[in-house]
Amino acid sequence: MKRNPGEWLRDRLIDKVVQVGLLGMVGWGWLIGAGLVLWVTRGPGQAAPEWMVWSFLLPGALFVGTALFKAKRGWRLADMRKGARAEERVGQAVEYALTGEGCAVAHHVEGEIAKIGDIDHLVATPRGLWVIETKHGRVPEREFPETLRRIALNVAGVRNWAPGIQVTGCLVFATEPEKRPKSTFDRGSEKIRCFASPESLMRELRDEARSKGGSSKIARRVWRLAKVETG
């Protein structure tokens, strides 16, 4: 999905304002503190207590630490917004697909069902349950095994919650990555599906929603989860 140039510019400006503001406040506090310490210690017969010196040096350490963090990892504010938009877009695609009887969806499922973090989308169709993890456009290689582990653990949690029901774990990207991922990944004994776009997931869920059978009881349980979340 191509981003609107105005939205991109707005996000960049917000990031820069936050960065400059945080660094400016910490840096200004450090300079004021250092100047005050020098003034006190250079006064005739006066010396600043040790606690005062450290109280002014700590903002400087925070400033340096913030700069190092920025240099190593970068600012993640834009990533957080991207993640929220990714979940929203995938959630809309899921809800659009689920038009059949016996279908339901709950977002941000936590509690005893999710074994780690939360489940972005828990979907019931006539063929079973889907545990859906969403990402914006890519997952760093070093973080990919942990992402698969999260999905596999939450699949196990859903199986405990709904014994005897087929449960499918999947990873879906809100925008198609530059390098198209494999369609399935193995995590232990678990096979995790992967969709390069919400549309590809939507098509599969829509086909399942038109299937016959399924458990209306499971669909109602998922709807109750959604009501708890929004209630």
Side-chain angles (χ1 to χ4, degrees), residues 65-148:
T66 303
L68 290 175
F69 177 81
K70 180 182 183 300
K72 183 177 179 181
R73 295 292 302 275
W75 293 88
R76 305 302 297 273
L77 296 174
D79 291 342
M80 293 171 63
R81 285 193 297 273
K82 287 178 181 178
R85 283 196 295 267
E87 291 186 19
E88 181 181 1
R89 186 177 178 207
V90 173
Q92 290 173 345
V94 168
E95 291 174 357
Y96 181 78
L98 297 177
T99 56
E101 185 178 356
C103 297
V105 57
H107 309 294
H108 308 296
V109 177
E110 297 176 323
E112 297 179 359
I113 300 174
K115 293 297 184 182
I116 180 170
D118 69 327
I119 298 171
D120 291 339
H121 313 285
L122 178 61
V123 177
T125 75
R127 295 183 187 174
L129 292 165
W130 286 74
V131 174
I132 301 174
E133 174 85 6
T134 62
K135 294 296 181 183
H136 180 257
R138 71 181 186 88
V139 179
E141 186 175 352
R142 66 180 181 277
E143 298 178 12
F144 200 76
E146 175 61 19
T147 298
L148 296 180

Side-chain angles (χ1 to χ4, degrees), residues 28-83:
W28 179 255
W30 180 57
L31 290 174
I32 293 296
L36 189 57
V37 168
L38 289 174
W39 177 76
V40 171
T41 55
R42 289 181 178 180
Q46 298 185 51
E50 185 177 347
W51 66 267
M52 182 180 292
V53 175
W54 281 107
S55 68
F56 289 132
L57 289 178
L58 284 176
L62 180 60
F63 171 76
V64 173
T66 303
L68 290 175
F69 177 81
K70 180 182 183 300
K72 183 177 179 181
R73 295 292 302 275
W75 293 88
R76 305 302 297 273
L77 296 174
D79 291 342
M80 293 171 63
R81 285 193 297 273
K82 287 178 181 178

Side-chain angles (χ1 to χ4, degrees), residues 155-185:
V155 166
V158 172
R159 285 202 180 103
N160 291 336
W161 178 73
I165 302 297
Q166 177 180 309
V167 182
T168 302
C170 86
L171 172 65
V172 57
F173 294 95
T175 57
E176 188 167 342
E178 295 180 3
K179 183 179 179 181
R180 190 174 183 85
K182 297 191 301 183
S183 59
T184 59
F185 291 91

Side-chain angles (χ1 to χ4, degrees), residues 214-228:
S215 171
S216 58
K217 178 180 177 181
I218 290 296
R220 288 195 298 270
R221 290 182 68 188
V222 172
W223 272 123
R224 282 198 291 270
L225 290 175
K227 289 180 180 179
V228 168

